[in-house]
Amino acid sequence: MDRRDVEPMTGCTKISAGCDHCYAYTLAQTKTRETYLRHLPVKDTPENRAEPFAPRFWEERLFKPYTWRTPKRVFVNSMSDVFHAHFSVEQIQRVFEVMNDNLQHQFQVLTKRPERAARLSEYLTFTPNIWIGTSIENMEVARRADALEVQIIERTQ
């Protein structure tokens, strides 16, 4: 199965040691800097407008999976975290609607914020083609797995 990325959200804030060497941050400060700075951040402040890694929502990027003719394995938001606090429930729901509409593709969602994912899970539909996971860089954040298992995985079975 072909692999693709879809980036309807970009930007993040560091929350743990697993963020210390973030490739997405490095790319936002270098290669994608000018592109990001031309797009308004979701929290529109002068500081965020000047920061290329401030969270941004790209509505036009949502439609990419509808154009693929053959099934794909899709990494969602390699340049962000779907469950970052700056993204509204409505924005997250838009991402899930696209995944729910495209059952032929497998969507991989990786988050360092499974607690927020768990809190929002009652507002989201987790179809079987959505694979959700979390980063666990050390035992200090191992609780992230529990948040996914108890709140999301059990709820969707």
Side-chain angles (χ1 to χ4, degrees):
M1 183 177 292
D2 287 341
R3 185 189 174 289
R4 299 289 164 86
D5 292 345
V6 66
E7 308 291 344
M9 300 158 158
T10 59
C12 204
T13 50
K14 296 181 179 190
I15 62 166
S16 69
C19 303
D20 289 349
H21 304 287
C22 178
Y23 71 90
Y25 176 82
T26 301
L27 284 174
Q29 299 301 328
T30 57
K31 184 178 178 184
T32 60
R33 179 181 184 83
E34 295 308 314
T35 300
Y36 287 4
L37 289 176
R38 286 192 299 267
H39 197 82
L40 289 177
V42 292
K43 300 289 182 189
D44 191 9
T45 65
E47 296 82 17
N48 284 345
R49 282 187 183 207
E51 172 52 59
F53 206 51
R56 289 168 164 79
F57 187 74
W58 307 73
E59 179 80 24
E60 65 279 8
R61 294 180 179 182
L62 281 173
F63 305 103
K64 205 174 190 182
Y66 292 99
T67 67
W68 298 325
R69 295 177 185 252
T70 59
K72 310 286 183 219
R73 183 166 293 137
V74 185
F75 187 8
V76 180
N77 279 4
S78 68
M79 299 297 287
S80 185
D81 189 323
V82 173
F83 296 101
H84 190 282
H86 286 196
F87 297 119
S88 68
V89 174
E90 293 77 17
Q91 290 168 326
I92 296 167
Q93 285 172 326
R94 289 286 298 121
V95 173
F96 271 75
E97 287 169 12
V98 171
M99 295 188 294
N100 297 155
D101 284 350
N102 287 277
L103 297 174
Q104 72 277 22
H105 305 309
Q106 296 171 343
F107 292 94
Q108 300 170 325
V109 178
L110 187 62
T111 183
K112 284 187 175 71
R113 296 165 174 85
E115 294 88 353
R116 184 164 193 237
R119 285 192 309 274
L120 298 181
S121 66
E122 67 182 284
Y123 306 106
L124 305 170
T125 300
F126 286 83
T127 47
N129 64 321
I130 299 172
W131 301 355
I132 187 159
T134 189
S135 303
I136 301 173
E137 63 269 16
N138 57 44
M139 289 307 294
E140 292 175 21
V141 295
R143 61 177 163 60
R144 291 177 183 164
D146 297 332
L148 278 185
E149 181 179 27
V150 173
Q151 298 298 322
I152 297 174
I153 295 171
E154 289 181 4
R155 187 176 291 167
T156 60
Q157 290 181 348

